């Protein structure tokens, strides 16, 4: 039987999908239960006062954990078996030292940014960003005295490096936060050259972390830590959860960078609960097959869209060609084009709305990465907070529709799109 922390059979390394049912869980500790039970408890009983004291010494960093010493369970805001097993399994996909799971993607992002920011700092970030992240940086963090400097996704780092440097001036950079591919345009940011850029902002031997929101392609088709990033964040609500029935988030990285995030999570109380942890454990077992089926479906849908007379443009990574300046970035950091496609219809908002209102199989809803196909209108929904002028600068037009392709039969999705186009 595969033991709970075994990563290989002899010298045959096990792939993450083979470990999603067993890794990090020891049945003997749970009366032999095959599956990890839901540990719906706020607190844990210590065997002795001495054991409780030892657990707290390690938890508060008063001393290092001994080589054979297990991390003690104390209280569910600090740790809980469902979260610990989930964090161990999530770490396998990105080959991370550690992970921290949160009650939402925004809890993961806000806790991470707050962990590295101080008043007077600047956050450098790619544009466009997920609407919630954009709001957090523009409205809340600015109020805390933390400024922002944005740069456009979809262009090589060398083209904006100098202007970013000038805008930062001599202020401390808290973090470089990028989203690639960007939502909803699928524009890419070069992770490796962003990591190079981070070195330019080293002050007092302190380098800002490069944080990548990997929600769109991860954890299967893009591995930012391997490409040079320090932390990867997820809205686990999307592909990781995958069934549109849970809100959750995660952050992964090396010990050095994940530790401050985990510590602040304890004090902000943004951790996920055991029920969320259990749902995500269940989802992880089918992650690879869901994302693979969705990715294959999306190729059929994108190829159909590109030939449709009512479509003026399709934004799909699988259609990128060698003459695109970001083509080598795609080749270097992505292993598949994923399953979120944006496209423009001829016309504007009225035509886009007629199309959306006519869909029958595909639901009209925001979010993405679930088993069902979803469509939405970025300009008036997910990206409504961005001014019309900035929307156009970032390529978010009133004619744009974002489609998250699910696991239905691709010919059924295409039949639905076909009848909806007839109403436009
Ligand atoms: C949905 C999403 C988020 C926010 O995640 P929640 O789980 O909704 O809090 C952040 N980034 C991206 C790219 C997303 O798609």
């Amino acid at each position: 039987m595969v033991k709970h922390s075994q990563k290989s059979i002899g010298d045959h390394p096990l792939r993450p999908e083979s470990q999603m049912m067993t890794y990090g869980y020891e049945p003997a500790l749970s009366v032999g239960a095959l599956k990890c039970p839901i540990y719906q408890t706020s607190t844990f009983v210590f065997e002795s006062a001495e054991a409780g004291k030892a657990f707290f010494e390690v938890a508060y960093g008063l001393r290092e954990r001994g080589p054979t010493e297990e991390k003690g369970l104390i209280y569910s805001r600090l740790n809980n078996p469902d979260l610990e097993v989930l964090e161990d399994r999530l770490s396998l996909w990105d080959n991370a030292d550690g992970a921290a799971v949160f009650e939402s993607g925004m809890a993961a992002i806000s806790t991470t940014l707050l962990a590295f920011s101080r008043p007077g700092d600047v956050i450098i970030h790619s544009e466009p960003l997920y609407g919630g992240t954009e709001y957090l940086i523009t409205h809340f963090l600015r109020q805390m005295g933390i400024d922002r400097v944005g740069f456009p996704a979809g262009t090589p780092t060398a083209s904006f490096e100098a202007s970013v440097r000038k805008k930062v001036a001599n202020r401390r950079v808290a973090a470089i936060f990028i989203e690639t591919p960007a939502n909803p345009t699928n524009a890419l940011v070069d992770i490796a050259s962003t990591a190079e850029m981070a070195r330019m902002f080293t002050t007092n031997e302190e380098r800002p972390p490069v944080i990548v929101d990997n929600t769109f392609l991860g954890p299967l088709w893009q591995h930012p830590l391997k490409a040079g990033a320090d932390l990867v964040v997820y809205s686990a609500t999307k592909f990781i959860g995958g069934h549109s029935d849970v809100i959750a988030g995660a952050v992964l990285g090396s010990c050095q960078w994940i530790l401050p995030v985990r510590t602040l999570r304890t004090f902000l109380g943004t951790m996920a609960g055991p029920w969320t942890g259990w749902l995500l454990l269940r989802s992880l077992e089918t992650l690879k097959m869901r994302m693979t089926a969705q990715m294959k479906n999306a190729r059929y849908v994108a190829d159909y869209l590109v030939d449709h007379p009512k479509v003026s443009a399709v934004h799909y990574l699988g259609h990128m060609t060698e003459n695109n300046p970001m083509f080598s970035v795609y080749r270097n950091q992505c292993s598949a084009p994923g399953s979120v496609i944006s496209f423009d219809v001829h016309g504007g908002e009225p035509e886009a709305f007629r199309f959306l209102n006519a869909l029958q199989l595909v639901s009209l809803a925001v979010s993405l990465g679930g088993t069902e196909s979803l469509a939405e209108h970025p300009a008036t929904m997910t990206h409504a907070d961005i001014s019309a002028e900035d929307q156009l600068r970032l390529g978010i037009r009133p004619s744009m529709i974002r489609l998250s392709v699910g696991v239905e039969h691709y010919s059924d999705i295409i039949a639905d799109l076909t009848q909806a186009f007839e109403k436009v």
Side-chain angles (χ1 to χ4, degrees), residues 15 37 40 57 149 225 273 294 339 379 398 403:
R15 289 172 173 80
Q40 192 71 49
E57 284 170 349
V149 170
L225 300 178
Q294 287 170 273
S339 54
L403 192 62

Side-chain angles (χ1 to χ4, degrees), residues 289-324:
M289 46 176 147
R290 283 185 283 109
M291 286 190 75
T292 304
Q294 287 170 273
M295 181 266 286
K296 288 183 176 168
N297 273 350
R299 157 116 17 221
Y300 287 109
V301 173
D303 289 348
Y304 161 81
L305 287 170
V306 94
D307 288 334
H308 200 285
K310 290 188 180 166
V311 173
S312 61
V314 178
H315 313 280
Y316 171 62
L317 288 175
H319 286 166
M320 206 186 244
T321 52
E322 271 172 60
N323 54 17
N324 187 312

Side-chain angles (χ1 to χ4, degrees), residues 350-369:
E351 287 74 17
F353 276 20
R354 273 203 288 281
F355 175 86
L356 288 167
N357 288 334
L359 290 167
Q360 295 175 23
L361 179 68
V362 178
S363 295
L364 170 54
V366 298
S367 199
L368 55 103

Side-chain angles (χ1 to χ4, degrees), residues 126-135 139 153 179 181-187 213 216 238 340-342 349 366-368 376-398 400-403:
S126 60
E127 293 178 291
L129 286 177
Y130 174 74
T133 313
E134 165 80 23
Y135 193 96
H139 299 283
E179 201 177 302
N183 172 21
T185 54
N186 269 335
D213 185 331
F216 269 50
K238 314 295 165 57
V340 184
I341 303 169
S342 293
E349 185 179 306
V366 298
S367 199
L368 55 103
E376 66 111 6
H377 188 247
T380 58
M381 296 170 190
T382 45
H383 296 71
D385 190 46
I386 302 176
S387 71
E389 188 191 339
D390 283 343
Q391 282 188 355
L392 288 181
R393 181 172 60 82
L394 300 169
I396 306 168
R397 284 176 281 271
M400 182 183 263
I401 285 163
R402 188 186 75 187
L403 192 62

Side-chain angles (χ1 to χ4, degrees), residues 7-8 12-20 92-93 288:
K7 284 189 181 175
S8 63
H12 174 90
L14 293 168
R15 289 172 173 80
E17 62 267 36
S18 306
Q19 303 185 75
M20 287 302 111
L92 295 177
W93 297 96
K288 170 106 186 255

Side-chain angles (χ1 to χ4, degrees), residues 58-175:
V58 173
Y60 279 111
L62 303 177
R63 65 170 173 85
E64 291 273 312
R65 179 149 55 112
T68 57
E69 192 178 2
E70 288 279 331
K71 204 160 53 177
L73 290 161
I74 297 175
Y75 183 70
S76 287
R77 180 158 44 74
L78 280 66
N79 52 3
N80 175 285
D82 293 290
L83 290 199
E84 291 196 342
V85 175
L86 173 62
E87 287 163 356
D88 287 350
R89 288 186 192 169
L90 265 180
S91 299
L92 295 177
W93 297 96
D94 283 297
N95 200 15
D97 288 349
V101 177
F102 293 81
E103 200 56 34
S104 70
M106 282 313 301
I109 291 167
S110 54
T111 304
T112 304
L113 287 176
L114 284 170
F116 299 103
S117 304
R118 305 178 202 146
D121 284 358
V122 187
I123 291 173
I124 300 173
H125 65 89
S126 60
E127 293 178 291
L129 286 177
Y130 174 74
T133 313
E134 165 80 23
Y135 193 96
L136 177 81
I137 293 179
T138 325
H139 299 283
F140 178 74
L141 291 179
R142 188 168 278 169
Q143 220 172 279
M144 301 287 112
I146 298 149
D147 199 8
R148 63 183 281 176
V149 170
F151 65 81
T155 51
T157 310
S159 65
F160 52 75
E161 217 166 50
S163 86
V164 165
R165 195 171 195 158
K166 199 163 148 219
K167 285 181 197 154
V168 168
N170 51 14
R171 294 176 291 176
R172 177 181 179 269
V173 176

